[in-house]
Amino acid sequence: MKIGVVTFPGSLDDGDAARAARYAGAEAVRLWHADPELHGVDAVVLPGGFSYGDYLRCGAIARFAPVMETIAREARDGLPVLGICNGFQILCEAHLLPGALTRNQHLHFRNRDQRVRIENATTAWTGDFSAGQEVVIPVKNGEGCFVGSTELLDELEANGQIVARYVGENPNGSMRDIAAIRNEAGNVVGIMPHPEHAVDLLTGPSVDGLGFFTSVLKAITPGRRTTTEEVPA
């Protein structure tokens, strides 16, 4: 199984994401923002960082990278895609996920270990969790406040598209404590906390984040795209 990890100018956590993919048992394939080819990967991770220096808006420039055109097309055909922090912002800018990520309400960069509750365990990236399970993974962002209209938020609730919520103090003021969402099909997930920083007790607060990477390996078969309905419960 091959998990591609995209590097944009300004990416910081691409190496960590590649390590997490290897820990899960996958082959990590480094993908370059200017190369539209995905080189046969079975899933893609858009890592955290500050792509293009966060100019204009976070992720607003990265969404136009050549690799994103291919990822967007393949995601609509079922390719599993996980956007972490800046990757989440890119997915929203690319309209692969709804809503937007804005400045933290307190206007401070927040960096801490965060308790998160898994709300939906049927996505390609959360199948190894149980609904209601609480995990601890780091959060580190300055623009992680998820916002959307009341209509959108109600729709996400009704469709089960809220993948995870913050437990305890909301670190950025996200509406309805949203930490992660998915698209309707369940193959595209955006998460603001960093599961790739919670795969090894030597460097993280837990190994809870590893489940995001092991989940996708069970959800797909090489050469085949998977939607929510096909992910084992």
Side-chain angles (χ1 to χ4, degrees):
M1 299 292 293
K2 297 180 179 181
I3 297 180
V5 179
V6 180
T7 298
F8 299 97
S11 293
L12 297 181
D13 299 311
D14 45 342
D16 299 86
R19 182 182 69 151
R22 291 193 296 270
Y23 274 32
E27 176 186 348
V29 178
R30 306 303 288 267
L31 302 176
W32 185 238
H33 68 103
D35 181 2
E37 296 297 324
L38 298 186
H39 303 282
V41 301
D42 303 291
V44 168
V45 175
L46 303 181
F50 304 91
S51 60
Y52 297 90
D54 282 349
Y55 287 109
L56 300 182
R57 293 182 309 275
C58 298
I61 299 177
R63 66 155 294 191
F64 293 106
V67 72
M68 283 303 301
E69 182 176 348
T70 308
I71 289 172
R73 182 177 65 250
E74 292 295 316
R76 294 186 179 101
D77 192 39
L79 176 73
V81 179
L82 177 67
I84 303 171
C85 197
N86 187 229
F88 189 0
Q89 296 161 343
I90 294 169
L91 290 175
C92 290
E93 289 288 341
H95 305 298
L96 291 173
L97 289 176
L101 284 308
T102 62
R103 288 290 300 275
N104 294 348
Q105 284 191 347
H106 44 64
L107 303 181
H108 294 288
F109 189 91
R110 186 64 81 229
N111 185 358
R112 71 185 191 196
D113 297 334
Q114 176 68 43
R115 186 166 294 277
V116 174
R117 183 175 62 250
I118 303 298
E119 301 284 359
N120 188 316
T122 67
T123 79
W125 297 93
T126 56
D128 272 354
F129 298 102
S130 301
Q133 181 178 347
E134 294 187 5
V135 299
V136 177
I137 52 181
V139 63
K140 53 172 189 173
N141 62 74
E143 298 183 62
C145 179
F146 182 82
V147 298
S149 66
T150 299
E151 292 75 15
L152 171 61
L153 296 172
D154 289 344
E155 183 179 329
L156 294 178
E157 298 266 16
N159 293 341
Q161 287 180 249
I162 298 176
V163 173
R165 297 184 201 265
Y166 298 113
V167 176
E169 182 187 356
N170 186 323
N172 45 44
S174 285
M175 291 180 169
R176 303 195 189 182
D177 297 324
I178 290 174
I181 63 171
R182 68 169 176 89
N183 65 347
E184 291 186 8
N187 61 303
V188 178
V189 169
I191 183 168
M192 189 49 56
H194 287 261
E196 80 281 14
H197 292 323
V199 299
D200 186 338
L201 289 176
L202 181 64
T203 58
S206 70
V207 294
D208 294 343
L210 191 60
F212 289 89
F213 298 89
T214 57
S215 292
V216 75
L217 299 186
K218 297 175 182 178
I220 59 177
T221 303
R224 181 175 181 273
R225 306 307 185 204
T226 303
T227 62
T228 298
E229 291 73 22
E230 298 170 307
V231 177

